[in-house]
Amino acid sequence: AITAWLQENRFSTANVRAAVALILTVQARDHVGAATAARGEADRYAARSLIATGKLLKPLPSLWVKGAAEPAPMKEASRGVGVKELFREDRVFSTEASQSVDAALELLAHLDGSSPPAAIAGGWGAIEGLLADPNDRSSAADNLATLVTCSFPRAELTALSYRVERQHPEVAQELAEVTGNRERARAIGRMIVQSRMPDMRGEVDQAAIARLKKLLDNPGPELQTIRDAIGESFHRLYRQRNLILHGARLDSVALTASLRTVAKLAGAGM
């Protein structure tokens, strides 16, 4: 029956070896949305199977959406929660880590790859556990927004510096004389402030230069604007978490959108 369904819908059956299959009917605007909805259903079945039988389901790497040209991956792409500091500072296998930070990182891992309800509950738990005022749990959103805002200019300047270096050899020589990300970022910042920045080919780079010029010309108000925008994303995560844990609402229309805007920011803050 599996083979027949795949052939009927013009999919290849090569290397498809499944003992069991489910045909799901979901509501979505396109094939990508349908695949996302199907992954959510599959996650729920996997959770039920684990607590009912103690055994993990082993899904194939692909799922098939009727009418699509190609199979979709069964595992959704990473949401981009990266805490690269752990690798750079050789802390991945450290035995001296703070227990509270370790617990927060365990919860944060759900933000990257779990189903939306689990990702939001785990992600907010990581943030709240480290940064919340005991009398005001939502304060963790503003505290993390402040941390992310502090790192934003340096991150923008560092990324821009490497792209400038590749496109303009004369700038590469100037950057070769500095050591460390902070000094590299400061060198690019001076070029922007002194209007010595070379022309960049990409529109993304041009937009980054315009953002940074505006920020460096008027740091206080611009950083506050950035902090407010990031803080609103984290407050939205907090409200979604409350809907899930206190309102038992697992179908909020804002679940996926909240994760899309907040996942990378949470990783940067951590």
Side-chain angles (χ1 to χ4, degrees), residues 1-24 58-60 62-66:
I2 297 166
T3 303
W5 188 94
L6 290 172
Q7 290 175 340
E8 180 186 337
N9 290 284
R10 301 181 180 180
F11 290 115
S12 170
T13 58
N15 300 317
V16 177
R17 301 289 182 270
V20 177
L22 288 171
I23 296 177
L24 305 174
K58 296 179 180 177
L60 294 180
S62 299
L63 60 86
W64 293 261
V65 179
K66 186 174 181 177

Side-chain angles (χ1 to χ4, degrees), residues 14-59:
N15 300 317
V16 177
R17 301 289 182 270
V20 177
L22 288 171
I23 296 177
L24 305 174
T25 301
V26 299
Q27 288 190 342
R29 292 183 179 275
D30 54 28
H31 298 145
V32 175
T36 299
R39 289 187 197 100
E41 286 285 319
D43 284 342
R44 284 191 278 278
Y45 293 138
R48 290 182 202 168
S49 173
L50 181 61
I51 61 176
T53 68
K55 297 178 181 178
L56 289 169
L57 287 181
K58 296 179 180 177

Side-chain angles (χ1 to χ4, degrees), residues 1-245:
I2 297 166
T3 303
W5 188 94
L6 290 172
Q7 290 175 340
E8 180 186 337
N9 290 284
R10 301 181 180 180
F11 290 115
S12 170
T13 58
N15 300 317
V16 177
R17 301 289 182 270
V20 177
L22 288 171
I23 296 177
L24 305 174
T25 301
V26 299
Q27 288 190 342
R29 292 183 179 275
D30 54 28
H31 298 145
V32 175
T36 299
R39 289 187 197 100
E41 286 285 319
D43 284 342
R44 284 191 278 278
Y45 293 138
R48 290 182 202 168
S49 173
L50 181 61
I51 61 176
T53 68
K55 297 178 181 178
L56 289 169
L57 287 181
K58 296 179 180 177
L60 294 180
S62 299
L63 60 86
W64 293 261
V65 179
K66 186 174 181 177
E70 297 290 338
M74 186 66 197
K75 181 174 173 55
E76 198 159 14
S78 164
R79 295 189 181 102
V81 181
V83 187
K84 302 294 177 61
E85 183 74 9
L86 291 170
F87 180 76
R88 285 197 299 266
E89 299 295 330
D90 197 22
R91 296 178 185 174
V92 175
F93 300 106
S94 172
T95 57
E96 301 172 357
S98 158
Q99 286 189 344
S100 59
V101 173
D102 261 358
L105 291 174
E106 272 190 72
L107 289 169
L108 190 71
H110 291 288
L111 190 58
D112 196 51
S114 297
S115 62
I120 283 177
W124 179 259
I127 295 167
E128 181 181 301
L130 291 178
L131 293 168
D133 184 322
N135 298 318
D136 180 10
R137 292 298 177 183
S138 68
S139 64
D142 293 322
N143 292 337
L144 188 58
T146 299
L147 288 174
V148 176
T149 304
C150 286
S151 69
F152 172 79
R154 199 276 312 149
E156 281 264 86
L157 287 163
T158 301
L160 184 61
S161 74
Y162 285 104
R163 295 196 290 270
V164 172
E165 196 172 33
R166 286 195 297 271
Q167 293 184 30
H168 296 279
E170 69 280 8
V171 175
Q173 186 174 357
E174 184 175 340
L175 291 174
E177 299 172 1
V178 301
T179 57
N181 275 346
R182 184 180 292 273
E183 290 306 315
R184 172 181 279 267
R186 186 173 282 123
I188 292 294
R190 278 196 299 267
M191 288 182 196
I192 293 173
V193 170
Q194 297 168 4
S195 300
R196 294 190 294 112
M197 198 69 181
D199 291 333
M200 300 294 287
R201 292 191 292 270
E203 292 181 0
V204 170
D205 295 332
Q206 293 168 19
I209 293 169
R211 275 197 305 272
L212 288 165
K213 179 165 177 46
K214 188 177 179 184
L215 173 63
L216 293 168
D217 286 346
N218 195 15
E222 290 301 321
L223 286 172
Q224 184 61 47
T225 300
I226 294 168
R227 180 186 178 278
D228 291 344
I230 294 172
E232 182 53 40
S233 293
F234 288 134
H235 278 289
R236 189 182 304 117
L237 180 71
Y238 176 59
R239 291 192 292 272
Q240 292 300 315
R241 173 262 188 193
N242 287 344
L243 279 174
I244 292 167
L245 296 187

